[in-house]
Amino acid sequence: MAENPHAGLRTGSDTESPVAPALSSAEALSWRGYALDAVDGERLGRVEGVYADEESGAPAWLAVAIERRGLLRRGVAKVVVVPARECAALPGAVWTAQPAAAIREAPAVDPARLLLREHETAICAHYGIGPAAGRHAEVAARPEGATTARPA
């Protein structure tokens, strides 16, 4: 039986063990070029970049180029973002707590453009991040039309 490469990863939901330290900008930026693996084990694409919070500069999202599926369909289908807080590094790959279907169905982003409050709240809602906590709560409190994240 093959060993699960994701076994042993800690998340903040485990009350018995401490929560891992916050992801640093340097660490998130070092993931560029790494493959992205969904929680269900599917390899989806490559990390292309990082979106940093406009106010704090902390990594908020990983920009991921999703690969087309199928024998004759090669190349990038679209670029999406995944929550940086739900990611962990493995050798040469990044694991996310999101399922492959959610990532594939996520709204596309232009990796050269800023994210506005409205973009981020829609993306948070897509991933099931409610308005009372986490990234959704952080950006919902900002003015309408405000820039909330930018490519790092």
Side-chain angles (χ1 to χ4, degrees):
M1 184 163 128
E3 187 175 316
N4 180 352
H6 308 303
L9 291 176
R10 287 184 303 150
T11 65
S13 62
D14 183 358
T15 57
E16 296 290 320
S17 64
V19 175
L23 177 64
S24 72
S25 293
E27 182 177 9
L29 289 168
S30 76
W31 295 350
R32 284 186 289 200
Y34 280 20
L36 180 79
D37 294 340
V39 69
D40 44 16
E42 187 173 338
R43 184 152 285 179
L44 293 168
R46 297 234 168 257
V47 176
E48 295 292 317
V50 176
Y51 275 89
D53 180 80
E54 179 69 7
E55 293 179 0
S56 70
W61 304 97
L62 298 183
V64 178
I66 302 299
E67 297 169 356
R68 289 190 175 119
R69 298 170 69 188
L71 293 175
L72 300 175
R73 299 169 67 160
R74 299 278 186 232
V76 174
K78 66 180 179 176
V79 176
V80 301
V81 293
V82 296
R85 292 178 184 165
E86 297 180 5
C87 295
L90 301 167
V94 173
W95 176 88
T96 180
Q98 291 290 332
I103 296 166
R104 233 185 256 102
E105 296 164 8
V109 299
D110 179 343
R113 298 192 65 183
L114 305 172
L115 291 179
L116 303 179
R117 173 183 171 257
E118 293 73 18
H119 297 138
E120 284 207 65
T121 56
I123 294 166
C124 287
H126 169 78
Y127 284 119
I129 302 168
R135 184 70 186 162
H136 199 154
E138 291 170 13
V139 298
R142 298 181 191 175
E144 189 173 320
T147 297
T148 51
R150 66 178 54 244

